[in-house]
Amino acid sequence: FLSLVAEFCCGFFVILILGNFWFLAVLYLLWLYLDWRTPCAGGRRSQWVRSWTVWKYFREYFPIHLIKTSELNPNHNYLLGFHPHGVLVAGAFGNFCTEPPFKNLFPGLTPYLHIMPIWFGCPFFREYIMSAGMVSASKESVSHVLSNKGGGHASVIVIGGAEESLNAHPGNLTLNILKRKGFIKMALKHGAHLVPVFSFGENELFKQVANPKGSWLRNVQEKLQKIMGFALPLFHARGVFQYSFGLIPYRQPIHTVVGSPIPVKQNLNPTTEEIDQLHALYLQKLKKLFEEHKSNYGIPAHKSLIFE
């Protein structure tokens, strides 16, 4: 959906340039230049956009549910690690970029969903995603959110990133996380409490063309990801009036479970050993969260998370 909106915005910008409204395009480019750092400085959210009625229908389509397992004291800042990426990241968008799911369960906390910086270079589209509460996934942006001295801010980071979307097959439980420790370092530097979040059903929304590691397709996808910065999973689901083929996601329930916070003491210069220790604890808590709730959402008892 977001990709379609981005394409529409880019197309509209091209029409302005080629048509008789080129001066509007020039004014917007000037605005883009002056406003370039905003996605790294907390964005520009709009309560009106986040409360559009269309998001209510979007959440009800699957449906999307947010499950609270513990209180999050608004006097602290938090870094929420979201898993898995899936193809659409529907759980992250539906719960953290629309009202009122997160607001009702965690009053006093403001969530910021960090996404790839490349999206903020898309004319007009950048204004829309910022209004929904999305900000850049750059270190500068995460630092800006977590440096709020009064607390009450929550950075939401999809830890597996674009690479993990290539594993987004129904039933797959592989997470790209063993080498991803940057979020741990950021939490330590700012004293932000870590919160594991697992979104059950995220990988069930689409079927993806088989791309096992080592296959020619996977090799091409990984090379393109390194060049462009984002992955290109070949996926399909249902159509508007039939269920055999299309790009509309399947109606599969998504249950996004927010775990208990891991207290983190601020450490401006954490050592590699300290980062590794906290990373190991985070993996332990994430696995525990998954094991405690998997039976509620149709995951067989013999299946567990795979970290790579």
Side-chain angles (χ1 to χ4, degrees):
F1 176 78
L2 290 178
S3 296
L4 291 176
V5 176
E7 291 175 8
F8 173 81
C9 290
C10 289
F12 179 69
F13 186 71
V14 171
I15 292 174
L16 288 180
I17 295 175
L18 299 179
N20 295 324
F21 301 98
W22 59 267
F23 62 95
L24 293 178
V26 172
L27 288 176
Y28 184 79
L29 287 175
L30 177 60
W31 161 255
L32 194 63
Y33 173 77
L34 296 174
D35 194 56
W36 189 252
R37 302 309 305 168
T38 301
C40 295
R44 189 169 42 247
R45 69 177 53 223
S46 165
Q47 200 67 24
W48 175 66
V49 172
R50 289 171 58 88
S51 301
W52 281 351
T53 303
V54 66
W55 303 136
K56 175 177 179 291
Y57 294 120
F58 173 80
R59 295 192 302 268
E60 292 177 349
Y61 171 80
F62 298 97
I64 296 174
H65 303 281
L66 186 64
I67 292 86
K68 175 182 179 179
T69 64
S70 179
E71 294 291 339
L72 297 183
N73 189 332
N75 292 325
H76 299 296
N77 291 322
Y78 297 88
L79 195 159
L80 278 61
F82 184 92
H83 313 270
H85 184 286
V87 171
L88 189 65
V89 205
F93 177 81
N95 287 310
F96 304 116
C97 295
T98 70
E99 298 291 355
F102 190 85
K103 182 179 180 180
N104 285 350
L105 289 180
F106 302 100
L109 279 182
T110 301
Y112 296 82
L113 179 60
H114 296 269
I115 64 174
M116 291 185 298
I118 189 174
W119 289 111
F120 296 98
C122 181
F124 301 114
F125 180 67
R126 69 188 297 274
E127 319 303 334
Y128 159 67
I129 56 180
M130 278 197 289
S131 66
M134 290 179 245
V135 292
S136 173
S138 66
K139 292 181 181 179
E140 178 187 355
S141 178
V142 177
S143 292
H144 180 87
V145 174
L146 298 181
S147 61
N148 180 44
K149 294 182 180 180
H153 284 189
S155 280
V156 183
I157 302 177
V158 184
I159 305 299
E163 181 183 358
E164 195 171 86
S165 67
L166 299 178
N167 290 327
H169 296 272
N172 189 291
L173 295 173
T174 302
L175 302 181
N176 294 72
I177 191 172
L178 290 182
K179 296 181 180 180
R180 296 177 181 267
K181 301 179 182 180
F183 73 103
I184 298 292
K185 188 174 183 179
M186 293 299 293
L188 281 167
K189 282 191 171 185
H190 294 281
H193 295 191
L194 283 167
V195 182
V197 178
F198 195 88
S199 196
F200 292 89
E202 200 74 44
N203 284 342
E204 276 60 52
L205 305 185
F206 296 93
K207 292 179 180 178
Q208 191 173 166
V209 175
N211 60 342
K213 287 193 173 182
S215 65
W216 70 269
L217 175 57
R218 186 60 167 257
N219 290 335
V220 170
Q221 289 175 320
E222 290 176 347
K223 288 180 181 178
L224 288 175
Q225 179 204 336
K226 291 179 180 179
I227 295 172
M228 300 183 297
F230 56 90
L232 292 173
L234 298 180
F235 61 90
H236 64 88
R238 54 162 291 185
V240 179
F241 301 111
Q242 44 77 29
Y243 290 84
S244 57
F245 189 82
L247 295 179
I248 298 176
Y250 293 115
R251 297 192 69 178
Q252 296 290 337
I254 299 172
H255 295 87
T256 302
V257 184
V258 180
S260 301
I262 303 171
V264 177
K265 185 176 181 180
Q266 187 174 25
N267 184 347
L268 296 178
N269 296 293
T271 64
T272 300
E273 183 180 358
E274 290 170 332
I275 293 173
D276 288 344
Q277 288 178 349
L278 184 55
H279 186 259
L281 177 60
Y282 178 85
L283 294 183
Q284 178 186 332
K285 294 295 185 180
L286 174 59
K287 187 173 184 179
K288 181 182 178 182
L289 177 70
F290 174 81
E291 293 295 333
E292 289 179 346
H293 294 272
K294 67 180 183 181
S295 61
N296 297 331
Y297 307 115
I299 306 294
H302 68 278
K303 301 198 72 174
S304 297
L305 293 179
I306 300 172
F307 298 142
E308 65 173 29

